[in-house]
Amino acid sequence: PVCIPSSLVFCQSFNNNNQMFLGTSRGLYCQDAVNEKWEHYTIADGLPDNQITSLLCLNDVTWIGTVSGGAKLHSNKCITALPEITGVVHSICEDTETKVVWISTSQKMFCATNEQIEPVDIALSGQIEINLTGINFLLRLAGVSAHDLSAKRIPKHLGFSW
């Protein structure tokens, strides 16, 4: 059995190197499937907060969402803060067609391409306040594909702007 010193696991993700990542109330845990050794990352290592809310493993980078913003863990075990990402991170996902990473937070939505992170302003008619827990839901709600959104091909009447 796996023993980690946190009873609350909020999310998990696996990378291509057989590593399992667990986002908990006490930080990020990573286990190597080969040697089964656990590593623990916290605020002391550069995380914005110890409560991890979302994870996405892509190639050599693990995108991390917390209740206080975002960060990236690189294969060299170095954490890079993402100061543009603020608020509670609800969801991180990749559009596999365009390779754009989408990040939804309690304050804004962001898209990341290569090393650039940009906010995406979304204004829905009627000023509906939405908790962005699923980016695909939001796109379906507006009738827009992820490809259209990343290519900035949004019909003006939907109220999406950059």
Side-chain angles (χ1 to χ4, degrees):
V2 174
C3 293
I4 58 172
S6 177
S7 61
L8 295 176
V9 176
F10 296 111
C11 51
Q12 67 182 32
S13 189
F14 293 86
N15 68 13
N16 295 336
N17 298 323
N18 292 325
Q19 291 177 304
M20 176 173 58
F21 293 83
L22 298 176
T24 76
S25 59
R26 294 186 180 168
L28 177 67
Y29 289 85
C30 171
Q31 182 187 40
D32 189 314
V34 176
N35 63 24
E36 297 185 8
K37 178 185 171 190
W38 283 96
E39 295 188 40
H40 183 215
Y41 299 92
T42 65
I43 292 173
D45 299 300
L47 290 175
D49 197 283
N50 285 335
Q51 188 167 331
I52 311 298
T53 56
S54 57
L55 293 169
L56 175 66
C57 293
L58 287 177
N59 303 317
D60 292 337
V61 175
T62 300
W63 292 77
I64 305 162
T66 75
V67 295
S68 301
K72 292 194 289 188
L73 174 64
H74 302 273
S75 59
N76 63 2
K77 301 180 182 180
C78 179
I79 293 177
T80 302
L82 301 173
E84 326 65 342
I85 310 297
T86 57
V88 178
V89 177
H90 295 293
S91 178
I92 305 173
C93 65
E94 179 195 29
D95 178 339
T96 56
E97 189 175 311
T98 63
K99 303 301 182 199
V100 172
V101 173
W102 295 96
I103 304 156
S104 63
T105 75
S106 58
Q107 297 176 356
K108 274 193 175 254
M109 185 167 169
F110 298 86
C111 67
T113 55
N114 299 322
E115 293 299 316
Q116 187 160 352
I117 298 174
E118 297 181 31
V120 178
D121 293 324
I122 300 173
L124 297 175
S125 61
Q127 300 299 316
I128 301 170
E129 184 177 327
I130 295 180
N131 182 354
L132 299 175
T133 57
I135 294 169
N136 288 334
F137 170 77
L138 178 64
L139 295 174
R140 283 194 310 272
L141 178 68
V144 176
S145 73
H147 179 71
D148 288 341
L149 193 56
S150 65
K152 299 182 181 180
R153 293 190 306 239
I154 309 301
K156 297 278 186 211
H157 74 277
L158 290 177
F160 287 75
S161 61
W162 296 90

